[in-house]
Amino acid sequence: MTDQVMVPSKMPKLKLLVLTAGAMFMVIACSLLLADRASAHGWVENSRSDLCYDKVNKNCGPVMYEPWSIEGRGDFPEIGVPDGQIAGGGGAFPALDEQTQDRWTKIDMKGGPHTFRWDMVANHSTNTWDYYITRKGWDPNSPLKREDLELFCRYEDHGALPPMKVYNDCFIPNDREGYYVIVAVWDIFDTVNAFYQVIDVNLTIDPSQPTVPAPGFPGDPDRFGDIPQWVSIRPYLEGEVVLHKGKVWKARWWTRGQEPGTHEVWELIGDDPGSPTDPTDPTNPTDPTDPGHPTHPTDPTDPGDHGNHYPAWDASKVYTNEIVSHNGQLWQAQWWTQGQEPGTTGQWGPWQPVNP
């Protein structure tokens, strides 16, 4: 009788190797996706989504598992997310956009100084931290809109990486009581997106605090001039204008860390327009302009001609995030682009309209 030796087929081993490799690939891919999803996310303590996460707010949808992921288009309110979708980051979490007087748990808060805290899953280069509050007389039973909001606090980070916990000192308007909504917007520096958080508050007036604080209070959004101060850590693109040591400078090309006045990348434009006129040389007070002949009031500079403040689009120029004027409309580049005419690239193209 001949002994038979059973030779195992190689196919099962091959299949096993393929299956094993496929499984490993899926694990790695999922890990990368989750890591990317977790990057640059954060949320505000006691926000609507935070209370969903803590199961205080009910029927919130998937945001109860990821209150840090409410991300939408940045540059709010000029661009940003649509009206009616502000709380949910542009439709990503529609349950958050439900708005009635009694829908959400409210946090007790007084007018006056208040510190907002952001908790980061992972930080990201930051443009601004903005805080808005609903106006007196807003309708709490209507979807949240831009026209409902007024800016009361701002911090600028100029592209810096924030710590894992961010604290912003603000002054809550001390002239209203009852239910109000605060909208916090973390605007990212090196993408076109921002993270949105809303806080439902039951406000009371604090008689020990002023109704309106003195200018320059912590977070005062009016403390910034029309021309920003030069910041060493911030990158600047060609054409950007800054203030430094009482002078106005314009970048000739991309630059970072090169101080105006010490490097040829900066072109001197002139003196700070906000500086007061020399009080020792006033206009002759004995020879005023004749008050009977004012400048003709029917011929002002057209306030709607916003294109005068921005350069015209140039087909030969590279754009990354600049605003340009083209065919009577302002446009902002969403990413690197050259030769693609604004208004012809469609909804998902590199140019998006800007409404001043």
Side-chain angles (χ1 to χ4, degrees):
M1 182 175 180
T2 304
D3 292 335
Q4 294 182 345
V5 178
M6 302 298 294
V7 179
S9 170
K10 294 183 179 180
M11 187 58 67
K13 289 185 178 180
L14 181 59
K15 286 184 177 180
L16 181 61
L17 287 173
V18 171
L19 291 173
T20 302
M24 292 178 65
F25 174 79
M26 290 300 294
V27 170
I28 294 172
C30 290
S31 298
L32 290 174
L33 286 172
L34 289 173
D36 180 67
R37 185 174 180 80
S39 65
H41 287 41
W43 77 105
V44 175
E45 181 184 34
N46 289 329
S47 66
R48 187 177 291 183
S49 60
D50 187 34
L51 296 184
C52 287
Y53 185 67
D54 292 337
K55 300 181 180 180
V56 176
N57 282 330
K58 308 296 183 183
N59 301 318
C60 300
V63 77
M64 67 179 295
Y65 305 110
E66 45 179 340
W68 46 80
S69 296
I70 308 170
E71 182 179 10
R73 181 64 170 86
D75 298 308
F76 184 88
E78 292 80 7
I79 305 178
V81 296
D83 286 346
Q85 298 180 358
I86 295 172
F93 299 96
L96 290 179
D97 291 314
E98 297 173 6
Q99 181 61 56
T100 67
Q101 175 75 36
D102 302 317
R103 174 65 177 90
W104 305 104
T105 302
K106 302 169 185 63
I107 300 300
D108 289 334
M109 186 178 292
K110 289 183 177 181
H114 181 85
T115 300
F116 293 95
R117 189 186 89 185
W118 285 80
D119 291 321
M120 300 296 161
V121 174
N123 55 11
H124 205 296
S125 297
T126 298
N127 190 18
T128 55
W129 310 88
D130 285 338
Y131 298 86
Y132 302 83
I133 190 169
T134 46
R135 302 178 186 275
K136 289 189 287 187
W138 77 292
D139 182 1
N141 295 305
S142 178
L144 204 57
K145 304 178 294 297
R146 283 165 173 73
E147 66 184 32
D148 296 329
L149 303 173
E150 56 184 279
L151 180 68
F152 69 90
C153 184
R154 162 173 282 190
Y155 284 87
E156 295 183 352
D157 272 13
H158 306 289
L161 279 173
M164 298 306 291
K165 291 188 183 297
V166 174
Y167 299 90
N168 289 154
D169 294 329
C170 299
F171 189 97
I172 307 297
N174 197 29
D175 59 354
R176 62 201 71 185
E177 291 186 307
Y179 175 34
Y180 288 86
V181 171
I182 292 172
V183 178
V185 183
W186 171 28
D187 196 79
I188 305 304
F189 180 79
D190 50 6
T191 77
V192 298
N193 285 354
F195 289 87
Y196 294 81
Q197 294 281 298
V198 298
I199 310 157
D200 301 281
V201 299
N202 183 35
L203 272 183
T204 55
I205 293 175
D206 186 346
S208 68
Q209 296 293 330
T211 301
V212 179
F217 60 88
D220 183 358
D222 295 326
R223 70 189 186 280
F224 305 105
D226 293 334
I227 303 176
Q229 294 285 342
W230 174 75
V231 179
S232 61
I233 65 171
R234 186 189 189 282
Y236 294 93
L237 301 173
E238 176 187 351
E240 289 197 74
V241 177
V242 299
L243 277 176
H244 187 58
K245 295 183 177 179
K247 302 291 184 182
V248 180
W249 305 83
K250 183 169 72 172
R252 290 190 169 102
W253 54 81
W254 188 97
T255 177
R256 181 168 61 184
Q258 296 167 308
E259 183 181 0
T262 67
H263 197 281
E264 62 180 353
V265 67
W266 290 103
E267 175 187 355
L268 177 62
I269 302 300
D271 293 330
D272 179 359
S275 298
T277 304
D278 186 352
T280 63
D281 186 26
T283 302
N284 186 355
T286 64
D287 186 25
T289 301
D290 182 358
H293 295 83
T295 302
H296 198 298
T298 62
D299 188 28
T301 301
D302 180 6
D305 188 8
H306 304 285
N308 288 339
H309 303 291
Y310 294 95
W313 173 73
D314 185 342
S316 65
K317 186 176 179 180
V318 172
Y319 298 96
T320 54
N321 192 41
E322 297 87 342
I323 297 177
V324 300
S325 175
H326 186 62
N327 290 338
Q329 170 68 48
L330 295 182
W331 304 85
Q332 184 173 31
Q334 308 303 297
W335 53 80
W336 191 100
T337 178
Q338 183 180 29
Q340 295 173 291
E341 183 180 359
T344 66
T345 57
Q347 180 181 1
W348 308 112
W351 293 103
Q352 292 294 317
V354 177
N355 297 314

